């Protein structure tokens, strides 16, 4: 029987699929396996199912001579050094599509909550500070009819655009390639990054974390946004320069932000963003619905099981490894 190491207890239907294909070992703790434990566990593994908290790099791969597949329990795979896996013939898979609508729901929730100051208002009431209905109490930004700038119009960005239509929003987007089919379907218009920064009332980030997107939102980007703008990030923390975001929120350079992702995760207790009322901070719960986390588990497991059977995994990231093997 091949061996698989799963770095946390994922929903049971996923583990059931893995058990039919391999001898399964699960890290049962709530916190990630310490690095030395992970490096020891992969030594005799044929498959690894990591979470986005587990780094897969040269050091790990050097310790895992039998490893055939890394089946990430996430769609984003910036925790994995894909070129290093490819160089060693290790297949890398992810969990696209099953979490798209759940994550788009959360992005839209942050657009509404940050725009209309919901969390701040709830805290205000609970603190006993609400004395009367007031003409200028907790005023925010209108979502209905506003201009929404999407950075990335892939699966999740497009799903957010579909929601925005119901709010009569003007949708503009930026990505490296234009999506003319989607532009028609969604009524979305392409914009340069600079134009998107200038025109948007709300900006929602839906690009992967790569060398090109790291700190895409820096002091220079905030300087070009409207003072009433609201930034929402459900992609990856390091796409936003948090020190620059703090300065922009503190000085009123932009109005508000809603973050599901931070850099690092969890934030340090002395992270100054924790002191601000005009930012909503969530502990990376974009895909966190019961149904979606279960589908992610079966998807990651099916990817790992297929690779162990010598079949093409349905959600292969590094196709070159497969093509090279067939050649
Ligand atoms: P996707 O379908 O691959 O879409 C990514 C989009 O980003 C594409 O439109 C791509 O278009 C664009 N892009 C890539 N590099 C770019 C660059 N340098 N500049 C501008 N645009 C760029 O991915 P998805 O499924 O929507 O997921 C997006 C990300 O969301 C994931 O990578 C993950 O990090 C994050 N995520 C977070 C959660 C959460 O729990 N908060 C849940 C799911 C996903 P071009 O190639 O044309 O540029
Ligand atoms: C979650 O952040 C994912 O990439 O699936
Ligand atoms: C507010 O509650 C209003 O009636 O305008």
């Amino acid at each position: 029987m091949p061996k698989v190491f799963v770095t946390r207890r994922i929903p049971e239907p996923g583990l059931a699929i893995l058990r039919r294909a391999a001898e399964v070992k699960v890290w049962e703790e709530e916190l990630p396996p310490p690095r030395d434990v992970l490096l020891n566990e992969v030594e005799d593994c044929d498959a690894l199912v990591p979470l986005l908290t587990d780094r897969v790099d040269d050091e790990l791969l050097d310790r895992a001579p039998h490893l055939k597949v890394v089946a990430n329990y996430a769609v984003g795979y910036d925790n994995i050094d894909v070129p290093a896996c490819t160089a060693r013939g290790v297949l890398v898979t992810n969990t696209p599509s099953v979490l798209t609508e759940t994550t788009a729901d959360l992005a839209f929730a942050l657009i509404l909550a940050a725009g209309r100051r919901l969390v701040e208002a709830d805290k205000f009431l609970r603190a006993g500070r609400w004395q009367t209905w007031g003409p200028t109490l907790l005023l925010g930004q209108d979502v209905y009819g506003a201009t929404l700038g999407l950075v990335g119009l892939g699966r999740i960005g497009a799903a957010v655009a579909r929601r925005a239509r119901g709010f009569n929003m003007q949708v503009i987007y930026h990505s490296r390639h234009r999506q003319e089919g989607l532009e028609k379907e969604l009524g979305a218009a392409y914009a340069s990054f600079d134009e998107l920064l200038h025109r948007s009332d709300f900006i929602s980030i839906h690009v992967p974390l790569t060398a090109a997107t790291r700190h895409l939102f820096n002091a220079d980007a905030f300087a070009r946004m409207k003072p009433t703008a609201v930034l929402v990030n459900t992609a990856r923390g390091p796409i936003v320069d948090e020190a620059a975001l703090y300065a922009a929120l503190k000085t009123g350079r932009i109005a508000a932000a809603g973050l599901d992702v931070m850099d690092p995760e969890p934030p340090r207790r002395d992270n100054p963003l924790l002191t601000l009322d005009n930012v909503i901070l969530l502990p990376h719960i974009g895909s966190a619905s019961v149904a979606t986390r279960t589908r992610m588990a079966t998807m990651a497991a099916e990817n790992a099981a297929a690779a162990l059977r010598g079949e093409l995994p349905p959600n292969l990231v590094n196709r070159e490894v497969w093509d090279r093997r067939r050649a």
Side-chain angles (χ1 to χ4, degrees), residues 52 74-76 99 236 284:
L52 52 85
V75 66
L99 43 58
R236 282 291 181 272
H284 204 147

Side-chain angles (χ1 to χ4, degrees), residues 31-90:
L31 295 180
R35 187 70 181 169
D36 57 322
V37 171
L38 180 60
L39 294 181
N40 281 330
E41 288 293 349
V42 295
E43 278 181 346
D44 60 352
C45 265
D46 300 282
L48 176 66
V49 179
L51 309 194
L52 52 85
T53 47
D54 308 306
R55 191 161 37 84
V56 176
D57 55 9
D58 273 314
E59 182 193 32
L60 181 145
L61 295 166
D62 283 344
R63 294 281 293 272
H66 311 295
L67 196 63
K68 292 175 188 63
V69 57
V70 177
N72 216 30
Y73 183 66
V75 66
Y77 47 83
D78 47 279
N79 58 308
I80 299 171
D81 182 341
V82 177
C85 290
T86 303
R88 289 169 169 80
V90 174

Side-chain angles (χ1 to χ4, degrees), residues 234-310:
T234 57
R236 282 291 181 272
I239 298 168
V240 173
D241 175 345
E242 281 184 4
L245 175 64
Y246 171 77
L249 289 168
K250 178 80 181 169
T251 60
R253 179 76 278 292
I254 69 170
L259 309 180
D260 184 45
V261 287
M262 296 189 74
D263 178 23
E265 292 178 1
R268 292 165 41 147
R269 291 307 306 163
D270 63 355
N271 184 321
L273 286 172
L274 299 174
T275 66
L276 296 180
D277 281 329
N278 56 345
V279 60
I280 297 173
L281 302 170
L282 301 180
H284 204 147
I285 56 170
S287 65
S289 76
V290 176
T292 291
R293 286 289 166 81
T294 303
R295 285 195 211 106
M296 287 166 63
T298 57
M299 196 174 205
E302 277 160 7
N303 282 322
L308 291 174
R309 287 192 302 263

Side-chain angles (χ1 to χ4, degrees), residues 88-132:
R88 289 169 169 80
V90 174
L91 301 167
V92 176
T93 68
N94 67 343
T95 63
S97 308
V98 289
L99 43 58
T100 295
E101 303 299 340
T102 304
T103 307
D105 280 349
L106 191 87
F108 219 85
L110 281 174
I111 288 170
L112 287 164
R116 295 297 302 275
R117 304 171 62 179
L118 298 196
V119 174
E120 188 185 348
D122 177 277
K123 284 183 188 151
F124 173 86
L125 181 152
R126 286 172 200 260
R129 290 169 57 202
W130 184 28
Q131 294 186 304
T132 184

